Every structure is written in C-alpha cells, then in structure tokens.
Amino acid sequence: KGRNAILFCPTGAGKTLMAAEVAWHVLGFEPRPGSARGAAGNTVVFLVDRLPLVTQQSRVFANYLADSPYRVGSWSSDEPQS
C-alpha cells in the first residue's frame, strides 16, 4: 500500500538486523498475497548519523542480501561527489 516505516530503538537492540529483515520483505522476497516475488521498483533506504556507521551498516546489509539480485550502495557527505 505504499507505506513507510521508521524504526527507533536504543543502541544494541538489533536495529540493523531488524531493518535488513524488513528490507528483505519490502524487496519482495517473502511472497505476500497479490505480490510477485522480487517486487520490481521497491527501494530501501537506511540512514545513519555517523560516518563509521555508513561502512558498518552497508556491510551488514550486503551480507544479509548477498543471495538476492539487489545491490547495496552507500553514500556519505564526506565522499567526493561525481
């Protein structure tokens, strides 16, 4: 239905793994009634507020989604713009 979600939890609560699991479902890997597996056009964005987390979280997502056709990208304001 085009819904958005925000996950807000304390440090160490497993936000990254929960978000990766949500991403797995949003990207269509858990068939839902009326939806095709691997739903085309779905996008997942995971935001962090500290530069070291950019690399850390993108690695977790890349590992979690390794068996999927999706790529994980990362961007930071400290990286040169192309």
Side-chain angles (χ1 to χ4, degrees):
K1 269 191 160 185
R3 295 181 177 162
N4 296 316
I6 295 176
L7 182 62
F8 181 79
C9 301
T11 300
K15 290 182 292 292
T16 303
L17 290 179
M18 286 187 272
E21 182 67 23
V22 168
W24 186 260
H25 292 282
V26 167
L27 294 172
F29 289 100
E30 192 66 34
R32 293 170 293 200
S35 71
R37 187 172 172 87
N42 287 353
T43 302
V44 174
V45 177
F46 187 91
L47 302 173
V48 295
D49 65 344
R50 291 179 178 78
L51 184 57
L53 294 177
V54 172
T55 303
Q56 177 187 338
Q57 307 305 46
S58 63
R59 283 184 186 153
V60 171
F61 267 75
N63 288 335
Y64 198 88
L65 297 172
D67 294 332
S68 79
Y70 292 95
R71 290 183 20 204
V72 173
S74 63
W75 296 270
S76 159
S77 62
D78 289 349
E79 294 175 4
Q81 299 298 312
S82 54

